Each structure stands twice: as structure tokens, then as C-alpha cells.
Amino acid sequence: MTQEKLINAITNLDSDILDRYFIMKTDLVKKKKSKKHTWIKWASLAACFCIMFISMIFLIPYEPETAPNIQYGYTKEYRLYYKGNKSISKYGTIEFIDFDDNSITLQFEKTTSDYVYATLRGYGIDPSSNTERVYFGTTFSKLQVTEAGIINNGIELFVDNKLASDFPKEAGRYTIRIEYGNLKESCKQLDFGIFISEFGYFVINPLTIEGINSDELIPNSDESIPNTNKTSRFY
Amino acid sequence: MELQTKANSFMSDEKIIDLYWQRNEQAIKETDNKYRKFLLAVAMNIVHDMCDSEECLNDTYIGAWNSIPPTRPLLLQSFLATIMRRTAINRFNANNRQKRIASEFTVSLSELEDFIADDDDMNVEIETRELAKSISNFVRSLPDRQMYIFVSRYYISDSIATISNELGCSTSTVKREITSIKNKLKKHLESEGYML
């Protein structure tokens, strides 16, 4: 069989085969086109997700790592009151706003005219005796605990951004900032939280509660507020 | 080779065929708009020369003009491809003949062919038709994909790269398929009594 014969035979292929071929060709072109569109669709979707993801990184406010460590509740073992965001007592409500290495800021909704004070404990070496002592920074001026430790002016109280010697007596809404930088300087280590009478402890040193299982913390509520006599280890 | 993709901007095959039937010369213009690129690609695959391809294209249009009516093709593209392939192969053969024996001898031989080849031509024509029938039956029995590859490669004379691109597979896959088709065709033709 010659090559020419074969070529001529192929040239004379039945028209139904060619029709089938061209129909298939048209389908292939259509499929290819739609495949291209699918690719564009998926690429657009992926691009949208990328933009959303990047936007989220920039838009979601950064929360310092220390904040989530502040647990809300108290441990049965120590009867210590770990305060996170809010503490409610018969004298009102104290809400946590912010804290840093040297201060804590709280919103105080005072409902009575009862006396409230704050105390922070630290541990350090007494230079006069060269022995380890407990230091107290407190707003409670009448406190007499000389045997227990050293009382100094390690903490400063600011009520509505004004330096104050005591918590406000009258009922009202106040922004309280307690600075403890001085106490920190004179002590080797600060206690885990600042104590506010009738409201418990507000954690300022989250490292101290590391290792405490958060499941063991009893959530704070009106009913679960522990008796302040039990919560205090100092008084 | 690419199919016309702006299908919507072209006249439908039915309307073009109607124009042929009305003996309206606009038919050739519309055919040219729609299928020029495709037909030139078919011609180029065979004759490998742009001037020859253009001439083949004109011959194809004349062929279509002369065939419609009475013919009313189902698929105009397929119909035009057939005319173009025949025209281009004739052109290719003519070019080759001239290259092989470019002398007065060529003319004298062709003059002799005119009256001595009648009987042979008849036999060759019948044999070719029978062979075409056999190959058509074989191609019809192939799966769609292999049929597509066969027609692309041996009828349209597309390159392997073009076929693989159209099918969305690698060139080696197409080569493998072609080998398989060739083996099957050989067996088929041998079973029909053709000596290869």
C-alpha cells in the first residue's frame, strides 16, 4: 500500500466522523474556557481570603499576653480571690481596665460611703537588719502591722487621674489607678495581686498564678464572693 | 490551530449555508470571517507555505460555492475542512512532482498520463474508496479520545503539541496513544486483507 493511497483514503473519511470530531473540538474549547474561568474564580477567592487574613492581623487589636493569664475567681486552696475583669461586692463594683509593669487601672462604681483601701505586699531584704522582710504598700493609713513587716509609701493612688491619699468616701463612679513602681524597686518580688478591701485581689503579676488550673478557679459572682475575712491573709 | 472563539460575533452555519443556497456572495465573506484562520491552519499543516495556503483557501471557497447547493452540509466547518484538505494535498503533490522532475520530461509524462492512466485511475479510485470505508469503520470504533487524536493528527495534520494542548495532557501521552492507534489500525487493515 502506497503512502499516497493511505493519504487519499484518510482524506475520504466519512463525514460523520469529521462531524463528530468538530463537535468534540467545540466541546473541548468550551471546557477549556470554563476551566480558565474556574481557575480565575478560585484565584479570586484565595486572594479575598488573603486580604481578609492580612486585614485581620492589622485590625484585631493586640492584647498583651499577660491579660489572658488573669483568671476570674478564687482558689479553694488558698481562699485567695483572683480577679480578672470584674469584682462585685456590697460596696459596689470594681472593673479592671488595664495594668502594666508598674500600675493597675480600675473603674470603681461605689454604691456606699464605706471605707475602702488597697494594699500590695512585697518581699525584700531589710537593709537595717539584713534580713528578709515583708513590705507593705498601702492606702490604709491607720494600719499598724509593724511586727509583720515594713510599711512604706510604695504605692500611690490616683483617683480620676489626681493623686489621692485614700479611696473616695462618697458613692460615685471613679477611675482608680494604683502605681506600685516604688514598692517594686524596694522589694525583690511583689505579691501576685493588689488587695482591695471587700473586693479581693486584682492580679498584677500573672506569673504567680501560672500552674494554677483555671478549672479550679471559682467564677466570681454575687453569690461566690468569698468572705473577706477568709480572703485576707494579712488582717 | 485554534477554533474561532468569538462565536457570538459570527454568523451561524445555518445562515451562511442559506446564503450559499440563495447564491448570495455574502456567503463567502461570512465563511471567510468565521473560518479563515482555521482553514489556513489546515492548509499550512500540509503545504507549509503561506502563498500556497492562501491559494488553497480561495480554491476551497470556490469549491464550497460550487458544492452548495446541491449539498447542505450538517457542519460547515467539517465540510470546508474536507475541501481544504483535498485542495492542499493536491497542491502538495503538485509541488513535490515539480520539485522531483523539474524539466520538460514532467510535461511529457503528464501528457502520457492523460490517456494511459484511465483504467488504473478507476482501480485506484475504487481501492481508495474501499480503503477509506475500512479506515472510517476503524475510526468509528475508536473511543472518542482516540478518534479525536486520529483525526487531528492524520486528517487535520495537527502537531502533537497542539493535540496535547487541546486535550490538556502531555505530549508523551499523545505519542503513546498514537502508537496504540497505529498498532490497532495495522491489525484492522491486515484483518481486512490489506498488505502493509
Side-chain angles (χ1 to χ4, degrees), chain A residues 117-120 193-198 200-202 231-232 234-235:
Chain A
Y117 61 91
T119 299
L120 176 60
I194 194 156
F195 175 79
I196 297 173
S197 59
E198 296 298 330
Y201 283 85
F202 286 82
T231 63
S232 167
F234 318 128
Y235 314 109

Side-chain angles (χ1 to χ4, degrees), chain A:
Chain A
M1 187 187 298
T2 62
Q3 190 191 29
E4 199 177 337
K5 214 173 181 181
L6 198 62
I7 289 168
N8 286 338
I10 291 171
T11 306
N12 286 310
L13 272 183
D14 287 350
S15 62
D16 65 298
I17 293 168
L18 296 178
D19 291 351
R20 195 172 135 206
Y21 166 81
F22 282 108
I23 288 167
M24 195 176 163
K25 195 177 182 79
T26 312
D27 286 349
L28 280 173
V29 171
K30 276 183 196 166
K31 265 185 199 167
K32 217 171 178 183
K33 265 180 161 180
S34 67
K35 216 175 184 181
K36 266 184 197 169
H37 289 156
T38 313
W39 178 85
I40 291 167
K41 216 162 69 184
W42 282 110
S44 314
L45 204 67
C48 284
F49 275 115
C50 283
I51 291 166
M52 274 171 66
F53 181 71
I54 293 165
S55 307
M56 276 166 72
I57 290 172
F58 288 106
L59 291 177
I60 292 177
Y62 171 74
E63 285 181 31
E65 252 181 49
T66 50
N69 282 339
I70 299 172
Q71 301 294 331
Y72 184 65
Y74 65 94
T75 59
K76 280 180 185 170
E77 189 186 349
Y78 299 110
R79 291 286 174 205
L80 291 177
Y81 191 49
Y82 288 86
K83 174 67 187 76
N85 297 324
K86 205 174 195 178
S87 182
I88 306 160
S89 87
K90 57 184 178 181
Y91 298 139
T93 305
I94 291 185
E95 218 166 317
F96 170 83
I97 295 177
D98 195 12
F99 82 94
D100 58 31
D101 284 346
N102 294 311
S103 73
I104 183 167
T105 308
L106 308 154
Q107 189 73 52
F108 189 7
E109 192 82 50
K110 200 162 186 281
T111 51
T112 66
S113 55
D114 291 285
Y115 186 71
V116 174
Y117 61 91
T119 299
L120 176 60
R121 191 170 62 167
Y123 308 93
I125 307 292
D126 180 7
S128 59
S129 60
N130 206 23
T131 53
E132 193 165 293
R133 299 291 300 271
V134 178
Y135 284 75
F136 291 103
T138 181
T139 64
F140 189 17
S141 53
K142 292 172 191 172
L143 192 71
Q144 297 294 322
V145 279
T146 46
E147 303 84 12
I150 298 166
I151 301 170
N152 68 5
N153 296 320
I155 62 171
E156 286 178 318
L157 178 73
F158 292 82
V159 179
D160 293 331
N161 280 328
K162 284 179 190 163
L163 188 64
S165 56
D166 252 325
F167 273 77
K169 203 174 176 199
E170 293 77 26
R173 189 179 170 85
Y174 306 97
T175 301
I176 305 292
R177 191 171 84 249
I178 301 162
E179 290 192 354
Y180 40 84
N182 293 338
L183 186 65
K184 201 175 169 183
E185 262 182 35
S186 55
C187 298
K188 233 167 50 178
Q189 192 192 344
L190 289 179
D191 206 343
F192 64 91
I194 194 156
F195 175 79
I196 297 173
S197 59
E198 296 298 330
F199 289 94
Y201 283 85
F202 286 82
V203 174
I204 58 165
N205 186 2
L207 291 175
T208 58
I209 62 164
E210 268 183 9
I212 293 175
N213 186 353
S214 60
D215 294 339
E216 290 170 15
L217 293 171
I218 295 169
N220 185 22
S221 68
D222 278 325
E223 292 78 36
S224 66
I225 293 168
N227 185 321
T228 47
N229 293 332
K230 283 181 184 174
T231 63
S232 167
R233 295 173 75 187
F234 318 128
Y235 314 109

Side-chain angles (χ1 to χ4, degrees), chain B residues 45-58:
Chain B
N45 284 344
I46 297 167
V47 295
H48 293 283
D49 183 274
M50 199 58 208
C51 287
D52 282 345
S53 300
E54 289 278 0
E55 282 183 30
C56 289
L57 187 69
N58 290 333

